[in-house]
Amino acid sequence: MTLDLFAQPAGKEIIAPGACLLRGLALARESAIWQALQSVIAQAPLRHMQTPGGLTMSVAMSNCGPLGWVSDRQGYRYQALDPLSQQPWPAMPAEFMALAQQAAILAGFADFTPDACLINQYAVGAKLSLHQDKDERDQSHPIVSVSLGLPATFQFGGLQRSDKLLRTELQHGDVVVWGGPSRLRYHGILPLKSGTFSYMGTYRYNLTFRRAS
DNA sequence: CAGTGGCC
DNA sequence: TCGC
């Protein structure tokens, strides 16, 4: 037993150097975040993107902010226009920005101003295989990941795909932040389990904030 | 069944 | 090759 555990603010779990889990941080802004999310996906519908290999991702995705992450047969990239509409992605809601910046500060990353928010919708069975977030120009900025709706098992590994994985259940309102020496850690989400419900419906939503450019 | 390697 |  160590005193370090008690040196952290309540609800903050250090999971690796530069990485932490802020349990329930989004709950205080739940209503505003949920409303803003509905508005964004009404303007830029969730869609199943293709991988460069031509397969369809099980997670439905959209974006808000100046840049959006897209995948198709040409590869992964950030772009200013929604390929479905050829219009800019919806603006980043102020409530999204405030939550992302609060989480980054609590995690020890000052001056985080995301220019991209990837929205992932997981139905039962949807998953995201182990991967690294490495499409961003400047990897000195952290990743801020907000969980809403149904719970899911998060895998958090090392800098090599074969490294041992931490597995933890992410609940509605939890926020994970990773940056610095953990910025390129592999991570993923196991297939969403059935049998659970929330007032947000039978989905898990994930908001992933990045500084892409 | 979780983890690993390899796919072209 | 963020899937199988």
Side-chain angles (χ1 to χ4, degrees):
Chain A
M1 180 56 64
T2 160
L3 291 176
D4 295 81
L5 178 64
F6 305 105
Q8 306 305 330
K12 176 173 175 178
E13 303 172 23
I14 307 295
I15 58 179
C20 72
L21 183 36
L22 301 159
R23 295 281 183 194
L25 184 69
L27 293 177
R29 306 172 190 270
E30 183 172 44
S31 175
I33 293 289
W34 181 241
Q35 275 196 294
L37 175 58
Q38 298 315 304
S39 173
V40 167
I41 62 181
Q43 299 167 71
L46 293 158
R47 80 294 304 262
H48 293 271
M49 297 185 185
Q50 304 292 119
T51 66
L55 298 172
T56 301
M57 297 181 72
S58 61
V59 174
M61 299 175 160
S62 186
N63 292 277
C64 63
L67 291 172
W69 186 86
V70 298
S71 177
D72 58 23
R73 287 181 189 80
Q74 328 308 326
Y76 309 137
R77 65 193 173 278
Y78 284 94
Q79 60 179 52
L81 301 184
D82 179 348
L84 283 186
S85 66
Q86 298 291 5
Q87 294 298 126
W89 297 102
M92 178 103 60
E95 299 83 0
F96 281 21
M97 180 68 76
L99 174 60
Q101 295 194 134
Q102 179 190 17
I105 289 167
L106 289 173
F109 299 97
D111 304 320
F112 176 56
T113 303
D115 59 6
C117 173
L118 174 63
I119 297 162
N120 291 160
Q121 184 200 55
Y122 296 75
V124 171
K127 63 185 168 58
L128 212 47
S129 302
L130 210 58
H131 68 278
Q132 295 171 296
D133 289 2
K134 56 181 180 184
D135 301 319
E136 300 73 28
R137 272 211 218 301
D138 180 356
Q139 294 171 351
S140 70
H141 298 284
I143 300 290
V144 173
S145 172
V146 177
S147 294
L148 299 169
L150 297 185
T153 303
F154 180 60
Q155 296 177 314
F156 195 65
L159 302 183
Q160 302 189 143
R161 200 171 185 258
S162 57
D163 289 343
K164 192 183 320 187
L165 300 173
L166 167 75
R167 300 172 75 212
T168 189
E169 198 78 353
L170 294 181
Q171 304 287 343
H172 173 69
D174 290 348
V175 181
V176 186
V177 182
W178 62 96
S182 288
R183 178 60 178 72
L184 289 177
R185 282 181 185 264
Y186 277 87
H187 56 282
I189 290 286
L190 295 183
L192 202 75
K193 292 177 279 198
S194 61
T196 50
F197 300 90
S198 85
Y199 80 93
M200 291 189 168
T202 52
Y203 294 103
R204 171 178 189 262
Y205 293 91
N206 181 70
L207 311 177
T208 308
F209 297 91
R210 305 100 184 268
R211 163 61 62 164
S213 66

